[in-house]
Amino acid sequence: MPKTTTMPKSTTMPKSTTMTVRLPPEVSDKLEALARDTKRSKSYLAGEAIASYVEMNAWQVARIKAALAEARSGVPGVPHEEIVRWVESWDTR
């Protein structure tokens, strides 16, 4: 009788979700060509692109929220006049 094995619970496969995305035909065509040229699936490339976009934009939004919280905290910042002098000093010695 063949022996069957089961995977331990600690080595479960990562979960993913499925979504539908509408693309303009020219983007879809470029994605198709890129998938063919890189020997990757369109789904893989789209997932990588979305992950990269989300990572970059989440970082940016987090920094904006932190800066707004700092500005609202009442902690003294750099005086406006000092910023103006600094900007006006650009392209000078």
Side-chain angles (χ1 to χ4, degrees):
M1 181 180 291
K3 185 176 181 181
T4 59
T5 58
T6 57
M7 290 181 67
K9 292 184 184 215
S10 63
T11 57
T12 58
M13 297 293 289
K15 293 184 179 184
S16 64
T17 60
T18 302
M19 66 183 292
T20 301
V21 178
R22 295 188 190 279
L23 299 173
E26 59 275 6
V27 174
S28 182
D29 293 344
K30 288 178 181 179
L31 179 60
E32 179 88 39
L34 185 60
R36 184 179 52 251
D37 293 344
T38 60
K39 297 185 180 10
R40 298 282 190 172
S41 70
K42 291 188 299 182
S43 179
Y44 173 84
L45 294 176
E48 289 293 303
I50 292 169
S52 176
Y53 178 89
V54 168
E55 183 75 23
M56 179 182 59
N57 283 277
W59 174 88
Q60 184 176 16
V61 168
R63 293 301 305 138
I64 290 168
K65 285 181 175 181
L68 288 171
E70 182 181 343
R72 292 180 183 128
S73 72
V75 174
V78 179
H80 178 73
E81 298 76 24
E82 203 171 310
I83 297 296
V84 170
R85 276 194 306 278
W86 175 64
V87 170
E88 289 173 346
S89 75
W90 294 357
D91 202 28
T92 67
R93 289 187 179 239

